[in-house]
Amino acid sequence: MSEEYRSMWKDLGLDLEAHDALLAALGQGYKDVFMTQENRPKGMEYFDFVVSQVHGLRVKELLDEKAAGRKVIGSFCVFVPEEIVRAADATLVGLCTGADFATEEVEKYLPRNTCALIKSAFGFKLGKVCPYIESADMIVGENTCDGKKKSYETLGKLVPNLYVMDLPQVKTAGGRELLRTEYLRFKTAVEDLTGVKIDAARLKKGIEIVNNKRKAIHRLAKLRKADPAAISGLDALLINQVFFYDDPVRFTNSVNRICDELEARIAKSEGVFPKGAPRVLLSGCPMAVPNWKLPWIIETSGAVIVGEESCVGERGTRNLTEPKGETVDDLMDAIVERHFKVDCAIFTPNPDRIAHVKEMAGDYKADGVIHYSLQFCQPYIMESIPVEKELESARIPTLRIETDYGSEDAGQLKTRIQAFIEMIGSK
Ligand code: SF4
Ligand code: SF4
C-alpha cells in the first residue's frame, strides 16, 4: 500500500503494525480462497479490486466525502435502513465482523462464550485496525439478540458516537409500531447529524438507489438457478458482502455487468462446476468479510452453493421498498413495511423464515441445505432445529453446523461436509 494510505491510517489512529498484520492475513486468505477457483467470470475482477482496496481507495473515497461535508454512518445489521441515510446524502457502511482480532483484549470486556460476530466488532475497535469504525460519524447498534444489545452498553464506552436503535422481537401491530417509532427517531438523528432535512423527494431518491442495488442482486440470484452453475457460491457471497460497503450506484452497475456475462455463459451452458454437481443452499447466520471458511470447504468438496438464506444474502435483500405515496409519512411507512418482513431469528415466533428456507431450497433446486450457526448464537442455534425438522419432512436433506471463525475445526467440518455432499449427490 502507498505512503498516502499509510499516513491516512495513521491519521485515523490505527495501530499500523497490527493493521499490516491484518491486511497481510486478509490478502493471503483471499488469494487462497478466491484465486484458486477456475474459470471465474471476468466481472469478478471488479469485486477483487474492491476487496483489495477495502482499506485503501474506498476509505480514501469516504474521507474525501467527509472533507466535502458528507457524513459516514456505520452499521452491524440489515435493520438499519439505508434509504434514510441516503436521503440525507450520507453514506452507510457495514462494519466487518467476520474475523477474530485482539481476542485476549476482547475477553476483558465480553464473556468468552459470546458469538464470534460480536467479539469481532470489539476486536476491530480494540485492536485499532478498522478504518471504517474510526471514520464513522455515527455507529448504529440495534437491539436484536441479547448478546448484541448487552454488548452495546460496553461498546458505547469505547466509541464516542454509538446510536442505539430499539427493535421489535414480535411481528404484531405493536411490533410494527415500535419499528415505525424507531425509524422516525433514526430519521431525526440522521437529520441532526447531517444538517439535511429529509423531505419526500429525498426519501424517494434514497429508496430508488437502494432498491436498484437490491434489484441487481435479485437478478444475480435468479441466474444462480442454472445448471451448470455460471458462478460459484463463493463469488456470489463475495458480491453480497461487497453490497455493504461499496458505493451503491457503482455496485449496482457492476452487478448488472456481471449478470450480462452470466447470461451469456448460461446460453452456452458454460459453468464453474460440472453440470449435475450437487447443489447446496446455505442458511443461517450472516457471513461478513472475511468469513469464507464454510463456503470454501463446501465448494472444495465438490458441491456448488446456489443461494444464501442469510442477511448477507437473500434474507437481507429479498424485498424492495415500495415507493408508494407522496408524503414523508407514506414513504416512511413503506420503509417500515419492507424491513418488518425481515425474518431474523430474533423474532418469536418466526414461521416466515422456516417457510422461506424451504421455498429457496425448491427455487434454487438445492439437493440439500447446510444450516450454519455461529457458536453461542442462541437465536439461530435454537431455530436450526425446527428448520431441520421442516426440511426433513419435505425430504430435503439437512446438515446443521455450529462453528466459529477459527480454523481448528476445518478438518472435522470437511469430513462431515464431504459425507453430506456424497449423500445428496447419490440421490
Ligand atoms: S441476523 Fe438478525 S441481527 Fe443479524 S444482521 Fe440479520 S437481522 Fe440483524
Ligand atoms: S444473532 Fe447470533 S450471530 Fe448475530 S450477533 Fe446475535 S448471537 Fe451473534
Side-chain angles (χ1 to χ4, degrees):
M1 288 278 183
S2 69
E3 267 321 300
E4 185 194 6
Y5 290 158
R6 291 190 76 76
S7 74
M8 177 176 84
W9 300 325
K10 203 164 161 213
D11 291 347
L12 284 170
L14 300 193
D15 176 333
L16 290 188
E17 211 178 303
H19 187 248
D20 281 349
L22 175 78
L23 284 194
L26 236 176
Q28 189 55 48
Y30 192 78
K31 231 166 113 190
D32 293 345
V33 169
F34 289 92
M35 297 308 171
T36 47
Q37 299 181 93
E38 284 175 12
N39 195 20
R40 296 173 81 208
K42 200 156 166 35
M44 284 310 297
E45 282 172 9
Y46 170 76
F47 299 96
D48 290 337
F49 176 72
V50 175
V51 176
S52 76
Q53 291 299 319
V54 63
H55 282 213
L57 189 59
R58 183 64 185 132
V59 177
K60 187 176 176 314
E61 283 179 349
L62 293 182
L63 295 180
D64 288 348
E65 287 178 12
K66 276 165 70 85
R70 205 176 163 106
K71 300 292 181 190
V72 173
I73 298 180
S75 106
F76 299 110
C77 176
V78 297
F79 271 108
V80 180
E82 189 174 0
E83 293 91 333
I84 295 175
V85 176
R86 281 274 134 197
D89 284 337
T91 300
L92 188 73
V93 286
L95 298 170
C96 294
T97 46
D100 294 328
F101 207 83
T103 306
E104 217 173 288
E105 195 58 21
V106 171
E107 290 179 359
K108 292 180 188 158
Y109 293 83
L110 296 174
R112 201 189 57 78
N113 56 356
T114 304
C115 88
L117 200 143
I118 299 173
K119 277 186 172 174
S120 174
F122 275 65
F124 277 59
K125 173 65 199 167
L126 293 166
K128 299 194 190 132
V129 289
C130 177
Y132 294 91
I133 293 181
E134 304 309 333
S135 54
D137 298 290
M138 177 199 267
I139 293 178
V140 186
E142 18 54 57
N143 286 343
T144 44
C145 64
D146 286 351
K148 269 187 172 176
K149 64 187 162 217
K150 293 307 288 181
S151 74
Y152 292 141
E153 292 172 20
T154 309
L155 190 65
K157 297 191 178 88
L158 300 175
V159 298
N161 46 7
L162 184 74
Y163 172 94
V164 178
M165 177 186 280
D166 204 10
L167 283 185
Q169 318 263 299
V170 286
K171 299 253 170 121
T172 59
R176 184 190 311 252
E177 197 42 42
L178 171 59
L179 192 63
R180 189 167 189 279
T181 306
E182 283 299 298
Y183 280 6
L184 287 172
R185 189 171 70 88
F186 180 59
K187 176 175 144 301
T188 306
V190 172
E191 287 174 333
D192 290 347
L193 178 76
T194 57
V196 172
K197 181 86 192 136
I198 297 176
D199 59 19
R202 283 180 165 278
L203 261 186
K204 273 200 165 173
K205 187 76 202 149
I207 290 172
E208 186 190 336
I209 292 173
V210 184
N211 271 350
N212 284 343
K213 194 158 84 146
R214 294 182 186 126
K215 281 183 200 164
I217 286 287
H218 297 172
R219 188 176 162 206
L220 172 69
K222 257 198 191 149
L223 296 172
R224 295 173 71 190
K225 294 180 182 176
D227 183 16
I231 184 168
S232 68
L234 273 164
D235 280 340
L237 172 66
L238 188 76
I239 295 173
N240 276 284
Q241 290 174 331
V242 170
F243 180 97
F244 289 91
Y245 62 86
D246 196 10
D247 172 82
V249 175
R250 188 173 59 200
F251 174 83
T252 302
N253 294 337
S254 307
V255 177
N256 279 320
R257 244 192 326 272
I258 201 170
C259 287
D260 294 340
E261 185 186 348
L262 297 183
E263 278 169 3
R265 279 188 162 202
I266 292 166
K268 288 186 280 174
S269 270
E270 184 184 339
V272 284
F273 283 79
K275 190 172 169 57
R279 299 167 69 85
V280 166
L281 176 74
L282 255 186
S283 167
C285 290
M287 289 178 171
V289 174
N291 177 10
W292 304 305
K293 177 174 76 174
L294 195 58
W296 178 75
I297 292 176
I298 295 169
E299 293 207 323
T300 52
S301 300
V304 56
I305 298 165
V306 290
E308 298 78 26
E309 188 281 317
S310 150
C311 284
V312 184
E314 196 160 309
R315 187 187 319 125
T317 53
R318 77 200 254 230
N319 297 305
L320 298 179
T321 298
E322 291 300 330
K324 50 182 183 203
E326 294 303 322
T327 66
V328 168
D329 265 0
D330 291 341
L331 295 166
M332 286 297 293
D333 279 347
I335 294 172
V336 171
E337 205 55 44
R338 188 258 160 205
H339 288 81
F340 200 54
K341 289 185 195 143
V342 175
D343 45 14
C344 170
I346 57 134
F347 282 94
T348 181
N350 193 27
D352 292 355
R353 175 166 173 250
I354 298 176
H356 184 221
V357 181
K358 204 162 106 180
E359 181 191 306
M360 280 185 78
D363 282 355
Y364 295 93
K365 302 186 195 78
D367 299 302
V369 174
I370 296 186
H371 190 285
Y372 154 76
S373 307
L374 276 174
Q375 262 166 20
F376 312 121
C377 169
Q378 292 301 344
Y380 282 90
I381 294 173
M382 288 259 185
E383 212 162 89
S384 69
I385 297 170
V387 166
E388 180 181 49
K389 285 208 160 86
E390 182 67 24
L391 291 172
E392 303 250 288
S393 73
R395 297 177 182 277
I396 302 168
T398 307
L399 177 68
R400 284 194 286 132
I401 300 276
E402 265 178 58
T403 184
D404 57 16
Y405 295 161
S407 52
E408 295 76 13
D409 63 351
Q412 188 219 29
L413 284 177
K414 181 121 187 142
T415 308
R416 289 181 64 202
I417 286 168
Q418 278 173 337
F420 181 71
I421 291 172
E422 212 169 291
M423 187 264 287
I424 61 175
S426 65
K427 282 201 154 199

